[in-house]
């Protein structure tokens, strides 16, 4: 049996960069999956996305955004009406309170505008650090790392950090990549977590990162079994990228809602 010497910091950084490059090729369609056209809409959508799929949020927001256009609209919202509009996203009473409080705080402290600084964003009701980074990266073009459940699981599987606290993970991963790449890297990692490297049964046998991943084998390595685990509209392209016959990916996988 051969024993491998522990990976050096330089070795880990190089492997991290390679993972980043492979993810860029694997997920050319990576983007923020919450539909929005400005910072306020993204802040609202992110609050609604707690314990809810992005797809469900995107079903609700067109009507919501047409009715509530400004922070003042949320500040003065009729609670019952707002609750009804966002009810399908779950926890709608709490979320309604967050949206009204957010609108009031923006009007009172920021002239009704969403601020573009992390330190200000995290003082707003319903906006934690993760949400703040989503808003910075996608509405203000300020590079930000979004440590959600997928991001956390994947960077730990890749052994890029041993940290478990999201803020420490954010700093540890940030140190491995150029700042300008942070926002897109976050989208690509989250895309991979939703479509390939699932929490319970990752599609290891159909994963473009197999050679770079210390957790290869956590899920099925057999290509036929793994192909069935791929998800989303590009599931067949993902299979083809690792040399698997795309026809092995069932139609329901292509149509499947990503978590
Ligand atoms: S090889 Fe498996 S555990 Fe590693 S990233 Fe791919 S799907 Fe996830």
């Amino acid at each position: 049996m051969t024993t491998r010497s522990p990976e050096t910091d330089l070795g880990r950084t190089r492997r991290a960069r390679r993972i980043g490059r492979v993810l860029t090729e694997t997920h050319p369609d990576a983007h923020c999956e919450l539909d929005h056209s400005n910072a306020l809409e993204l802040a609202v959508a992110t609050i609604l996305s707690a314990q809810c799929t992005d797809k469900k949020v995107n079903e609700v927001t067109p009507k919501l955004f047409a009715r509530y256009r400004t922070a003042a609209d949320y500040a003065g919202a009729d609670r019952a009406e707002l609750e009804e509009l966002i009810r399908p996203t779950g926890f709608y009473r709490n979320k309604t309170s967050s949206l009204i409080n957010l609108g009031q705080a923006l009007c009172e402290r920021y002239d009704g505008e969403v601020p573009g600084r992390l330190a200000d964003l995290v003082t707003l009701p319903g906006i934690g650090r993760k949400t703040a980074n989503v808003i910075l990266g996608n509405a203000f073009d300020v590079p930000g790392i979004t440590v959600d459940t997928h991001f956390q699981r994947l960077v730990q599987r890749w052994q890029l950090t041993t940290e478990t606290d999201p803020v420490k993970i954010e700093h540890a991963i940030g140190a491995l990549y150029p700042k300008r790449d942070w926002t897109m890297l976050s989208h690509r990692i989250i895309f991979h977590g939703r479509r390939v490297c699932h929490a319970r049964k990752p599609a290891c046998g159909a994963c473009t990162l197999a050679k770079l991943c210390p957790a290869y084998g956590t899920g099925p390595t057999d290509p036929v079994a793994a192909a069935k685990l791929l998800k989303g509209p590009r599931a067949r392209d993902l299979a083809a990228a690792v040399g698997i016959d795309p026809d092995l990916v069932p139609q329901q996988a292509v149509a499947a809602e990503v978590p």
Side-chain angles (χ1 to χ4, degrees), residues 157-158 192 196-197 202-204 207 209-210 213 215-219:
R157 280 181 176 165
W158 299 334
H192 204 69
V196 183
C197 189
C204 293
C207 177
L209 294 174
C213 177
Y216 173 75
T218 302

Side-chain angles (χ1 to χ4, degrees), residues 49-215:
S49 72
Q51 310 290 320
C52 180
T53 63
D54 290 356
K55 186 167 180 269
K56 180 62 76 185
V57 173
N58 291 339
E59 284 167 16
V60 162
T61 48
K63 215 169 161 189
L64 181 71
F65 294 161
R67 172 78 184 80
Y68 297 86
R69 294 178 183 276
T70 66
D73 290 339
Y74 288 100
D78 177 88
R79 172 174 278 275
E81 184 197 62
L82 187 51
E83 279 183 1
E84 204 47 43
L85 275 171
I86 67 167
R87 182 195 281 264
T89 68
F91 301 98
Y92 60 96
R93 292 210 172 90
N94 283 345
K95 289 178 183 176
T96 296
S97 298
S98 290
L99 295 184
I100 292 174
N101 292 340
L102 173 67
Q104 288 171 348
L106 289 175
C107 289
E108 282 161 18
R109 291 194 268 136
Y110 297 101
D111 290 331
E113 299 295 326
V114 176
R117 284 186 350 139
L118 184 72
D120 294 327
L121 284 166
V122 293
T123 68
L124 292 166
I127 310 243
R129 195 178 170 96
K130 182 183 84 179
T131 306
N133 272 323
V134 172
I135 296 168
L136 284 179
N138 298 285
F140 291 100
D141 271 340
V142 176
I145 288 188
T146 308
V147 182
D148 75 347
T149 173
H150 301 290
F151 191 102
Q152 195 158 337
R153 178 178 74 254
L154 269 62
V155 297
Q156 278 160 357
R157 280 181 176 165
W158 299 334
Q159 293 179 15
L160 296 185
T161 178
T162 52
E163 301 289 358
T164 51
D165 170 69
V167 178
K168 289 189 178 155
I169 293 174
E170 186 187 318
H171 292 310
I173 302 303
L176 296 171
Y177 295 93
K179 197 169 180 181
R180 63 174 184 277
D181 294 342
W182 288 357
T183 303
M184 283 311 296
L185 175 77
S186 301
H187 291 321
R188 288 169 190 139
I189 292 178
I190 294 167
F191 257 56
H192 204 69
R194 286 176 160 162
R195 289 154 176 79
V196 183
C197 189
H198 313 296
R200 262 185 272 153
K201 264 198 174 181
C204 293
C207 177
T208 49
L209 294 174
K211 288 200 178 101
L212 296 165
C213 177

